[in-house]
Amino acid sequence: MKTLLLTLLLGLACAHQSSVDISELSGEWKTFYLVSTNAETISSKGWFRPLLRNVDVDEEGGTILFEFFVTIRGKCVGHRDRGIKLSDDRYLTSFSGKNEVQFVDVSDDYFVVYIINKDRSGNVNRIMGMFGKGNEADEEDFEKFLDLAREKDIPIHNIVNYINFDNCPASL
C-alpha cells in the first residue's frame, strides 16, 4: 500500500513539473519588456539591453541562436549569441557574462524568459524578459508576465518598456 501511495505521489509530482515547448519558437521577435533585480542593468545606460530580432531553435543540435541589437553611443550594433541546451527549457548563453536562460511561458504571440546572469565582475542578476510579435503586448499577456516576475521575486517597479524606444533596424 505504501509503495502504491509513493508511486502515485511521485507520478503527480512529475506531472506537475511542466516544461514549455520551444520547438516552434524560431522566427522574428521583438523585445517588449525587461525587468531585473538590478534596475541599473537594464536602464538606458545599462549593459543588458538586447533588442531581439530573431530566434533560431536547432533541436537536433541542441542549440538556440538569438540575433539582436544593442545600442552603443546611440548606434545599433548587431549581435548573435548561441545558447547550448541544458534541458528542455534551459540554455546557457554568453551575452554580457554567463546566462542561464529558462523559457517559462511560450505562446504563438509572445514568450517569457527567466535569466540568471553572472556578469563579468561576478555579480549575479535575475532578469525576466517578455518578447513578442507585432508592436505591443496584449494586456492579459503583460499581466501574466508581471505575475511571473513576482513569482521570481523580481521587483516589478524596475520594469523597462522597450517597445517605445526601439529604433534599430528590423533585422541584422
Side-chain angles (χ1 to χ4, degrees):
M1 185 65 157
K2 288 181 184 178
T3 306
L4 179 62
L5 181 59
L6 184 59
T7 303
L8 178 62
L9 289 174
L10 185 58
L12 287 173
C14 289
H16 182 67
Q17 292 179 348
S18 61
S19 64
V20 295
D21 180 11
I22 66 165
S23 62
E24 302 294 320
L25 199 64
S26 292
E28 295 178 3
W29 296 92
K30 291 174 108 177
T31 304
F32 282 178
Y33 300 97
L34 291 179
V35 63
S36 175
T37 51
N38 177 353
E40 185 178 317
T41 302
I42 57 172
S43 72
S44 61
K45 295 185 179 173
W47 45 264
F48 199 99
R49 297 172 46 86
L51 300 170
L52 188 62
R53 290 301 184 257
N54 193 61
V55 175
D56 185 18
V57 178
D58 178 2
E59 288 188 89
E60 288 182 22
T63 63
I64 191 167
L65 178 65
F66 297 98
E67 296 179 338
F68 54 94
F69 286 100
V70 292
T71 9
I72 300 173
R73 291 189 274 300
K75 294 189 179 188
C76 297
V77 178
H79 285 272
R80 289 181 172 86
D81 189 17
R82 185 168 307 280
I84 299 167
K85 189 174 191 172
L86 299 174
S87 67
D88 285 344
D89 59 359
R90 293 177 193 261
Y91 288 81
L92 186 63
T93 70
S94 60
F95 172 65
S96 291
K98 200 178 266 190
N99 305 290
E100 184 175 320
V101 179
Q102 178 187 11
F103 289 84
V104 293
D105 193 20
V106 175
S107 79
D108 291 339
D109 300 323
Y110 75 95
F111 68 91
V112 175
V113 293
Y114 172 62
I115 303 164
I116 298 174
N117 166 264
K118 186 173 184 181
D119 70 22
R120 292 182 178 102
S121 300
N123 301 312
V124 175
N125 303 294
R126 292 180 297 116
I127 302 164
M128 188 161 281
M130 181 181 195
F131 305 88
K133 297 186 177 198
N135 293 316
E136 64 184 10
D138 176 272
E139 186 64 34
E140 187 176 315
D141 298 337
F142 178 67
E143 288 301 322
K144 189 170 185 181
F145 169 70
L146 294 177
D147 288 343
L148 290 166
R150 286 184 195 104
E151 285 176 19
K152 299 289 188 184
D153 292 323
I154 300 175
I156 60 171
H157 62 268
N158 289 346
I159 196 165
V160 176
N161 178 340
Y162 285 74
I163 300 167
N164 296 333
F165 73 82
D166 183 347
N167 58 4
C168 290
S171 63
L172 297 187

